[in-house]
Amino acid sequence: VVLVPDDRLWRMQLEARGSVESSTSASKGPATFYNDGFSEFSAQKTLLVDHRGVTVELAEADADSESELNGFQTQYDTVPVVGLFARAIARQQYDDCYFDAQMATEARLEERARERLDQEVHFHLDEIERDFEEKVLQPFNALSLRPKALDMHTTDRRVIIRYRLAGGHQLGAHTPRPQAPSDSLLSVQLHETVLNNIVGQLN
């Protein structure tokens, strides 16, 4: 997760990186080629959170691949003279198609990386939104408390939110809280009005 500074909302970029090693054989006509391959990929997806909810952008991906020919054979290898010509033609065709095959491999890997990142992020976001609705919003709404995001912003090291938690007839704090300690993973600060408002709504 990479935090992207923004004065109006939470903006973060989810990044995935990986590598793929392969050992493959491929046949075309009378020839079979044996390759060792190595590919690296990276995928990014921007996630935005503001007072209206969560917005996600489509994932983007890049891939880079290399392959090395370990050997090849043709159906005519054992035929004198003809086998030499067949091998020369097969090798020439392999060399002619090398860069097209490399581009196709990279395109497939980029597509898979984009699809997987989109799929995983959307699946987990649905879970998080359901949990937030059930465990946070519904209990507060049942007490006639209205959570309202007053300020959301992102720095290169933090995501920060300032919430007002009060009914329509109640007072709430209106000043920012002190900044959290620099080495904290998570910091939560409560103004006394939060506790007073919750107790007041319990009757």
Side-chain angles (χ1 to χ4, degrees), residues 112-172:
R112 287 290 301 277
R114 285 194 300 267
E115 289 176 352
R116 182 67 183 273
L117 187 57
D118 280 335
Q119 179 183 2
E120 292 291 336
V121 169
H122 286 281
F123 174 77
H124 290 292
L125 278 180
D126 287 343
E127 282 189 333
I128 291 170
E129 288 181 327
R130 282 195 302 270
D131 283 349
F132 186 73
E133 176 73 26
E134 293 173 5
K135 298 176 181 178
V136 178
L137 292 184
Q138 288 180 6
F140 284 143
N141 288 332
L143 292 173
S144 298
L145 295 170
R146 302 172 186 169
K148 181 178 181 181
L150 301 180
D151 174 43
M152 299 178 71
H153 61 276
T154 312
T155 71
D156 59 350
R157 295 180 58 85
R158 302 170 184 266
V159 288
I160 300 169
I161 186 169
R162 188 159 60 93
Y163 249 98
R164 180 183 189 272
L165 186 61
H169 62 289
Q170 293 176 311
L171 298 176

Side-chain angles (χ1 to χ4, degrees), residues 2-12 47 49 151-161:
V2 177
L3 302 182
V4 181
D6 195 300
D7 293 333
R8 300 174 296 109
L9 44 79
W10 287 359
R11 181 185 296 271
M12 57 196 78
L47 178 69
V49 183
D151 174 43
M152 299 178 71
H153 61 276
T154 312
T155 71
D156 59 350
R157 295 180 58 85
R158 302 170 184 266
V159 288
I160 300 169
I161 186 169

Side-chain angles (χ1 to χ4, degrees), residues 53-67:
V54 181
T55 303
V56 289
E57 299 179 356
L58 292 176
E60 299 178 353
D62 294 299
D64 184 31
S65 69
E66 295 180 2
S67 65

